[in-house]
Amino acid sequence: MDESTQLSLQSGIAAFASKQFSRALQLLTPLAEAGEPEAQYRCAIMCQNGLGCVVDAERAFAWMTAAAEAGLALAQHGLGFMYMEGECVEQNGEKAVYWYEKAAEQGLAGSLTTLAMMYEEGKLVPQDTERARALYKKAGF
């Protein structure tokens, strides 16, 4: 990533963090379109929640998928959430588990905890209290 791209990314992330969503979208969209996973993830969040733009579920799903497939753990968790809740995409327990597991492999304890809750409650997966207990333990509980 060249210096000006890095600067745009940092500026876009800073605008996102300070809730200047219109500005963040302006800075991050070209980077997302160029394949930058951090930008794709934040654009997905903004499109999903109507931050700085109107809600655009299709675009949110596309950005989140691109960032998740690029290996960004937060996007993998976000995509798991979309599949679990049926938000921006049709609900799919198998795909939710897949993406939560990918994020968990990268150390996201929140993904382990969510998986554990899914198995504990039998939400979109067969109930499995042993698996839930093992996942909670791995997450540090």
Side-chain angles (χ1 to χ4, degrees):
M1 182 183 307
D2 68 31
E3 197 173 321
S4 80
T5 302
Q6 183 65 37
L7 186 58
S8 290
L9 180 62
Q10 289 171 348
S11 297
I13 290 171
F16 181 92
S18 63
K19 299 183 180 357
Q20 297 173 5
F21 298 116
S22 294
R23 179 77 179 133
L25 210 52
Q26 198 175 33
L27 290 164
L28 294 174
T29 298
L31 299 173
E33 289 169 348
E36 169 49 53
E38 290 281 348
Q40 291 169 334
Y41 171 69
R42 283 168 179 79
C43 286
I45 296 293
M46 290 184 282
C47 289
Q48 181 180 6
N49 297 290
L51 304 171
C53 60
V54 296
V55 171
D56 186 338
E58 190 176 313
R59 217 165 157 210
F61 178 72
W63 287 133
M64 194 68 78
T65 300
E69 288 174 349
L72 187 67
L74 287 173
Q76 292 169 343
H77 181 88
L79 192 54
F81 177 84
M82 286 179 167
Y83 278 116
M84 182 178 78
E85 296 298 326
E87 192 168 308
C88 302
V89 67
E90 192 173 318
Q91 193 174 45
N92 184 315
E94 189 177 313
K95 288 182 179 179
V97 167
Y98 173 82
W99 287 109
Y100 281 134
E101 285 176 344
K102 295 290 269 183
E105 287 168 11
Q106 295 195 63
L108 282 190
S111 297
L112 286 169
T113 305
T114 304
L115 276 170
M117 289 188 305
M118 288 176 73
Y119 283 106
E120 183 178 46
E121 298 167 5
K123 181 176 181 172
L124 301 175
V125 295
Q127 189 171 27
D128 185 339
T129 54
E130 288 301 312
R131 178 120 193 245
R133 206 176 346 249
L135 288 164
Y136 279 129
K137 186 176 181 178
K138 192 173 180 182
F141 292 99

